[in-house]
Amino acid sequence: MRTEHYARIGRTMPSPLYGVLVEVGARDAGPQRLAARWRTPLLREWWLPAALLLALWPHWAYVARRLVDRSDEPWGILALATVGVLLWRERGELVTPPRAALVASGALAVVAALAELVLPDLVAAAIAMLAVGTVLVHALRRPATALVVLLLLALPIIASLQFSLGYPLRLLVAHASALLFSLLGVSATAAGASIVHDGTTVLIDAPCAGIGMLWIGSFVAALLSYLHAADARRTLLNGVSAGLLVLLANIARSVFLYFP
């Protein structure tokens, strides 16, 4: 009698994490009932994303600080607002992510906290964004790459890109422009990140590196890839194509601006 009583208690008191982390009664549930459980709208489990965002608050504080100290362009707000609009647009189709996705997201959150101790804040914030992206891509049931790119573009990366890629891009623009000048019959040569013509030196400055254009091109490529549910391979191809188009457009712009 006592054994039967305990067995009844075990069967009738569900876990508080039922349907989220603990698969209670999974062996007794049929395939249809088990599949239906994972279609629970994510909005009913609002505390899951809220807990994740709260756990990652030091990284969001860093991003907010970079937005107000004018050390970077605030374009990340556009990417973040776009992700918010996409989530609202598909709010009726959000589902609770599977247990594996929640565990992976939690692991990334821990890695982000540890990375903050030894790595630059921007790298740690990028890992935190990956933790958020892991939940969102499973909640939206969309290819992950495009959404993750949009989340990473929400970070303050313009200044870092300018520091790491600015001079190489300016160097490339100067030499490519000099080549075009020679094809147009203009005697101009490249000297570092500048163009020399008839004793006059024209510098290719930081804005002419095209970092802003590259950000916009990446944003448009990621957004279109998401809207068309492109897989990782197609998203990568779209990003590379956008980068090449931006580079060619920036070279053409430098050539046209040289004549005045």
Side-chain angles (χ1 to χ4, degrees):
M1 186 67 176
R2 181 177 301 174
T3 303
E4 183 181 355
H5 180 65
Y6 287 161
R8 244 182 236 143
I9 293 177
R11 290 173 60 90
T12 57
M13 294 186 62
S15 165
L17 298 178
Y18 179 82
V20 178
L21 294 177
V22 181
E23 297 187 18
V24 179
R27 291 178 298 181
D28 298 333
Q32 295 180 350
R33 183 179 176 185
L34 186 60
R37 191 189 65 204
W38 293 118
R39 291 198 295 268
T40 303
L42 182 64
L43 296 180
R44 295 181 186 175
E45 307 293 349
W46 59 269
W47 61 272
L48 286 173
L52 178 63
L53 293 175
L54 183 62
L56 297 171
W57 72 266
H59 309 288
W60 314 142
Y62 158 75
V63 173
R65 185 168 64 250
R66 288 287 302 272
L67 289 176
V68 298
D69 65 7
R70 298 184 180 181
S71 63
D72 197 85
E73 300 290 342
W75 292 3
I77 297 176
L78 174 61
L80 192 60
T82 300
V83 174
V85 171
L86 293 175
L87 288 174
W88 180 258
R89 175 174 171 262
E90 302 181 16
R91 62 189 183 278
E93 300 179 6
L94 296 177
V95 298
T96 302
R99 180 173 55 184
L102 296 174
V103 172
S105 179
L108 285 172
V110 173
V111 172
L114 296 177
E116 194 175 17
L117 302 176
V118 295
L119 296 176
D121 291 335
L122 183 58
V123 177
I127 299 174
M129 278 296 188
L130 292 178
V132 175
T134 302
V135 172
L136 292 184
V137 296
H138 288 87
L140 290 168
R141 295 180 293 186
R142 287 266 187 166
T145 307
L147 184 63
V148 169
V149 171
L150 287 174
L151 288 173
L152 293 179
L153 288 175
L155 297 172
I157 60 175
I158 300 292
S160 299
L161 290 177
Q162 192 67 259
F163 177 79
S164 58
L165 295 179
Y167 181 74
L169 286 177
R170 290 161 57 200
L171 197 67
L172 180 59
V173 168
H175 283 76
S177 299
L179 178 60
L180 285 179
F181 284 132
S182 65
L183 295 177
L184 295 174
V186 179
S187 179
T189 58
S194 60
I195 301 172
V196 180
H197 169 65
D198 196 20
T200 301
T201 301
V202 178
L203 297 177
I204 307 296
D205 59 2
C208 286
I211 296 297
M213 294 173 63
L214 183 62
W215 190 96
I216 292 294
S218 302
F219 170 78
V220 173
L223 178 57
L224 292 178
S225 298
Y226 176 86
L227 294 177
H228 291 278
D231 57 12
R233 182 173 175 273
R234 182 64 183 180
T235 301
L236 178 61
L237 180 60
N238 292 341
V240 172
S241 300
L244 290 177
L245 288 175
V246 166
L247 180 60
L248 293 176
N250 193 41
I251 293 172
R253 182 186 66 169
S254 299
V255 171
F256 292 144
L257 291 177
Y258 177 83
F259 290 101

